[in-house]
């Protein structure tokens, strides 16, 4: 579709900034104690993403692990200096449902502190590793609000073993909690028959028909909404060290890595994207008023939607 015909609606491009060995699938293969001994590839892979985004004049939100920021501070500064948003992905890439309330708070607080120290800007958002805010862990929204976060992008409104929040509002909405109201940006999906199918990038970009991803983004556009997609830097790295996995897990994790860059090129050529902060919070102008938090009414106005539940 030509720019003249395309609606003036930018979708949201996000990156889960982590090493290839920090994927939840590898928890039984390698331990956190071993991470420092494994070869790092995050900087070279992030550079590929930054070059891609620059070629397409696109800003993104990078959900960065505190562990990455601690060991690669210049990478965080480079991403921020290029105009991209830095948000939190926690510290250790631990699933929220496996943490106690105070452990989760510590991860939020520590990652936010180091990211803000490195960039000199505000960290507004969070994404749970493995989209692990699921039924029964909604208390995490209260902790996010208590720790000064403005938005979350952890809900994947699909039914899937390991993660997923079936029945969640599938479009951007405001969640009302005892601690306040939080903007929620769920991952993109599309409906197939009676089921909601994932169409947000990541492995789904590599394993599912490209037309399905485009269909989901087009549906959001027609509804006047922004879809949220994601990618990991290691997904642009077909030469990464292989971990010992079973056949199905190996197929799901490594299949199509050589195609990721080309698929992202096609996606960025076909659709317009930006970061969460630029789409919803008029960033970076809000930095001039860093102490101010968006009021509930202001937040709803920015989203342009009524309150949704989760």
């Amino acid at each position: 579709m030509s720019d003249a015909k395309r609606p003036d609606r930018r979708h949201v491009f996000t990156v889960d900034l982590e090493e290839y060995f920090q994927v939840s699938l590898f928890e039984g293969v390698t331990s956190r104690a071993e991470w420092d001994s494994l070869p790092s590839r995050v900087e070279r892979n992030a550079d590929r993403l930054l070059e891609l985004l620059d070629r397409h004049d696109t800003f993104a939100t990078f959900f960065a692990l505190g562990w990455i920021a601690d060991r690669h501070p210049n990478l965080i500064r480079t991403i921020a200096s290029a105009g991209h948003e830095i948000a939190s992905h926690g510290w250790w890439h631990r699933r929220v449902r496996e943490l106690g309330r105070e452990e989760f708070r510590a991860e939020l607080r520590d990652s936010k502190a180091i990211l803000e120290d490195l960039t000199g800007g505000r960290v507004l958002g969070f994404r749970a590793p493995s989209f692990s805010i699921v039924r029964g862990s909604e208390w995490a929204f209260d902790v996010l609000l208590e720790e000064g976060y403005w938005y979350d992008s952890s809900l994947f409104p699909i039914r899937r073993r390991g993660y997923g929040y079936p029945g969640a509002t599938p479009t951007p909405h405001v969640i009302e909690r005892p601690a306040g109201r939080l903007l929620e940006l769920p991952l993109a999906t599309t409906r197939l028959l009676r089921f909601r199918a994932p169409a947000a990038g990541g492995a789904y970009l590599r394993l599912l028909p490209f037309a399905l991803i485009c269909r989901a983004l087009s549906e959001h556009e027609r509804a006047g909404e922004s879809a949220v997609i994601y990618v990991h830097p290691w997904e642009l790295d077909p030469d990464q060290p292989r971990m010992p996995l079973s056949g199905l897990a190996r197929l799901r994790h490594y299949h199509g890595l050589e195609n990721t860059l080309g698929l992202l090129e096609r996606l960025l050529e076909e659709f317009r994207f930006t970061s969460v902060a630029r789409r919803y919070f008029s960033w970076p102008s809000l930095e001039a008023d860093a102490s101010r938090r968006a009021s509930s009414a202001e937040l709803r106005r920015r989203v342009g939607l009524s309150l949704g539940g989760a």
Side-chain angles (χ1 to χ4, degrees):
M1 183 183 295
S2 69
D3 284 350
K5 296 180 180 179
R6 179 165 300 289
D8 186 17
R9 173 69 61 192
R10 289 186 183 268
H11 299 292
V12 174
F13 194 106
T14 68
V15 180
D16 290 357
L17 190 64
E18 58 195 58
E19 289 276 13
Y20 66 95
F21 50 76
Q22 293 173 318
V23 180
S24 296
L25 185 64
F26 299 155
E27 288 175 351
V29 176
T30 184
S31 68
R32 292 197 296 271
E34 298 175 287
W35 286 357
D36 282 315
S37 66
L38 297 173
S40 173
R41 300 176 72 88
V42 69
E43 289 193 0
R44 74 185 75 182
N45 294 330
D47 283 346
R48 293 171 184 167
L49 266 174
L50 290 172
E51 291 169 4
L52 170 71
L53 294 167
D54 184 61
R55 283 199 303 275
H56 292 275
D57 193 25
T58 297
F59 294 107
T61 295
F62 284 72
F63 291 97
L65 287 178
W67 189 94
I68 293 291
D70 188 45
R71 287 153 178 82
H72 302 277
N74 287 335
L75 174 60
I76 302 300
R77 294 188 186 103
T78 296
I79 294 170
S81 66
H84 302 289
E85 179 191 8
I86 299 293
S88 172
H89 200 34
W91 189 279
W92 285 106
H93 205 271
R94 296 191 293 177
R95 294 182 180 92
V96 172
R97 66 178 184 270
E98 297 171 357
L99 300 174
R101 192 182 187 103
E102 294 312 309
E103 287 180 296
F104 180 56
R105 186 187 306 278
E107 289 231 1
L108 290 178
R109 188 172 293 177
D110 292 347
S111 61
K112 192 173 192 287
I114 191 171
L115 294 171
E116 290 184 342
D117 182 60
L118 289 172
T119 64
R122 292 290 303 276
V123 167
L124 303 177
F126 172 76
R127 172 171 292 155
S130 301
F131 311 111
S132 55
I133 297 182
V134 296
R135 297 270 179 204
S137 57
E138 293 87 353
W139 53 264
F141 298 130
D142 293 310
V143 181
L144 282 165
L145 286 162
E146 291 162 4
E147 292 302 316
Y149 287 81
W150 290 24
Y151 73 86
D152 174 70
S153 184
S154 302
L155 296 190
F156 215 144
I158 60 173
R159 190 178 302 278
R160 183 188 185 279
R161 184 179 180 182
Y163 64 77
Y165 203 111
T169 303
T171 53
H173 58 280
V174 177
I175 294 175
E176 188 169 16
R177 296 291 302 174
R181 287 167 175 164
L182 186 74
L183 173 61
E184 176 61 40
L185 301 170
L187 283 300
T189 59
T190 186
R191 185 166 290 282
L192 293 179
L193 301 176
R194 295 181 300 131
F195 303 98
R196 188 156 289 282
Y204 305 110
L205 178 65
R206 296 182 280 114
L207 301 177
L208 298 180
F210 184 74
L212 186 73
I213 310 296
C214 294
R215 170 183 163 175
L217 270 64
S218 295
E219 287 174 350
H220 278 73
E221 285 186 353
R222 288 194 295 271
E225 300 161 348
S226 294
V228 179
I229 70 163
Y230 73 100
V231 70
H232 304 89
W234 54 262
E235 291 185 279
L236 280 71
D237 185 7
D239 300 321
Q240 66 190 265
R242 286 329 196 233
M243 297 292 187
L245 297 173
S246 64
L248 183 59
R250 185 184 304 111
L251 175 67
R252 188 177 76 221
H253 188 75
Y254 293 120
H255 180 73
L257 292 179
E258 68 279 1
N259 300 324
T260 304
L261 184 59
L263 290 169
L264 290 174
E265 290 272 12
R266 290 175 62 187
L267 209 58
L268 290 169
E269 288 169 359
E270 180 67 15
F271 298 92
R272 295 175 176 175
F273 294 88
T274 190
S275 67
V276 174
R278 289 175 184 270
R279 170 67 181 85
Y280 291 103
F281 297 106
S282 301
W283 185 85
S285 62
L286 65 86
E287 298 299 336
D289 192 10
S291 63
R292 182 176 61 85
R293 178 177 173 82
S295 67
S296 297
E298 185 179 4
L299 188 56
R300 291 197 300 275
R301 184 171 63 253
R302 287 168 175 172
V303 183
L305 298 172
S306 61
L307 291 175

